[in-house]
Amino acid sequence: MSEEIATVYVVDDDPMVRDGLDSLLRSVGYRVRCFASPREFMQQPRSKGPACLVLDVRMPGQSGLDFQTELAAAGDAIPIVFLTGHGDVPMSVRAIKAGAMEFLLKPFREQDLLDAVTACLEKSRAESFETALVADLRKRYATLSQRQQEVMALVVQGLLNKQTAAELELSEITVKIHRGQVMRKMQADTLADLIRMADRLGLPGKPAGRG
C-alpha cells in the first residue's frame, strides 16, 4: 500500500484556484484531479491508494459543508481540507467537529496547505492499512472451526486452558490442541498478538455461553 500513488482531489468552483492548486500539488509529486463541483467529483471513479479532498466551502449549489455531511452519511471517510474566503468560527467548528482535518482561510500559505494535505494522506494511509489488515484477519478467522472460534473467544479473555476446558466441557489436552491450531491459523506468535487480533475483529468482550 505504501507504494500506491497518493491522489489529491480538488473541488472548487473557481478555475483560477483549481489551476493554482493543481500546479502547487503536482510540484511536490502528488497526483491531482480537479473538479468544479461536488456533483462532478461524485460522477468520476476514485483512484486506488491514499487520498485527500481539498474542498471549497462556498460554491454554487451544494456547499462544501453539506457535501461533507453527504460523504459522511455514505460512509466515505476521505480526509478533508476545507478552503474558504468567507470563513467564520461557527463554520470552522462545524467542519472540524464533522471530521475535517483542517480549515484554511484564503489567501493561505502554500506550506500550510501542503502540511494539511500531508496530514490527510498519512491518515488515509493508516486507515487503508487498518482496513486491509482487518480484512486479512477476517479471512484467517474464517478458517477456524466453530470449536476453535469458541476456544479463541475464551482464551483472549484470559481464561487458562483448564478453565476453557471446563467452560466448553472438553479435556484440557483437547483445548491445548485447539489453542495451538488457533495460534497457527491466525498467525499469532503470542497471546498478546491474538488478543489484539480479537480486538480488531470486534469479538465479544465476554465469553459466550454454550447455549
Side-chain angles (χ1 to χ4, degrees), residues 183-210:
M183 297 293 285
R184 178 178 59 80
K185 290 183 177 181
M186 293 302 296
Q187 299 176 32
D189 294 327
T190 65
L191 176 58
D193 288 340
L194 193 66
I195 291 172
R196 283 190 286 269
M197 291 174 181
D199 183 59
R200 281 193 164 97
L201 289 169
L203 297 186
K206 296 181 180 180
R210 293 191 296 274

Side-chain angles (χ1 to χ4, degrees), residues 21 99 158:
L21 291 174

Side-chain angles (χ1 to χ4, degrees), residues 6 10 18 22 26 28 31 33 40 42-43 46 52 85 145 167 182 200:
V10 176
R18 292 199 303 274
D22 182 79
R26 287 183 187 279
V28 292
R31 175 170 53 194
R33 299 181 65 187
E40 243 186 60
M42 292 298 289
Q43 288 175 341
R46 206 80 76 70
C52 168
S145 68
E167 180 72 20
V182 167
R200 281 193 164 97

Side-chain angles (χ1 to χ4, degrees), residues 13-180:
D13 63 301
D14 187 331
M16 291 185 65
V17 171
R18 292 199 303 274
D19 289 346
L21 291 174
D22 182 79
S23 178
L24 172 64
L25 294 165
R26 287 183 187 279
S27 72
V28 292
Y30 293 131
R31 175 170 53 194
V32 186
R33 299 181 65 187
C34 297
F35 305 92
S37 69
R39 180 184 295 272
E40 243 186 60
F41 170 76
M42 292 298 289
Q43 288 175 341
Q44 297 299 316
R46 206 80 76 70
S47 300
K48 292 183 179 181
C52 168
L53 175 60
V54 178
L55 181 62
D56 190 22
V57 171
R58 297 178 184 270
M59 293 177 285
Q62 187 177 33
S63 73
L65 292 174
D66 287 341
F67 185 47
Q68 178 191 30
T69 300
E70 178 184 320
L71 289 172
D76 191 331
I78 183 171
I80 298 174
V81 175
F82 273 110
L83 303 179
T84 182
H86 310 277
D88 54 24
V89 173
M91 189 182 296
S92 61
V93 168
R94 174 185 166 185
I96 298 299
K97 281 188 173 182
M101 292 288 289
E102 188 58 90
F103 194 97
L104 300 177
L105 297 178
K106 301 174 183 176
F108 49 82
R109 292 177 60 248
E110 291 185 349
Q111 191 58 52
D112 288 342
L113 175 66
L114 294 175
D115 289 345
V117 167
T118 297
C120 279
L121 293 173
E122 288 176 352
K123 180 182 179 183
S124 181
R125 286 188 182 93
E127 290 175 346
S128 295
F129 178 81
E130 183 67 18
T131 298
L133 177 57
V134 171
D136 184 55
L137 289 177
R138 290 189 191 284
K139 289 180 180 178
R140 298 183 206 174
Y141 186 71
T143 68
L144 302 181
S145 68
Q146 182 177 347
R147 181 62 80 190
Q148 288 164 3
Q149 290 179 2
E150 291 171 346
V151 168
M152 177 175 171
L154 297 176
V155 166
V156 298
Q157 295 305 314
L159 272 69
L160 302 175
N161 289 340
K162 183 176 180 179
Q163 295 170 310
T164 300
E167 180 72 20
L168 297 177
E169 298 180 350
L170 299 171
S171 68
E172 191 171 346
I173 187 63
T174 298
V175 168
K176 288 181 179 179
I177 292 171
H178 283 313
R179 181 169 176 163

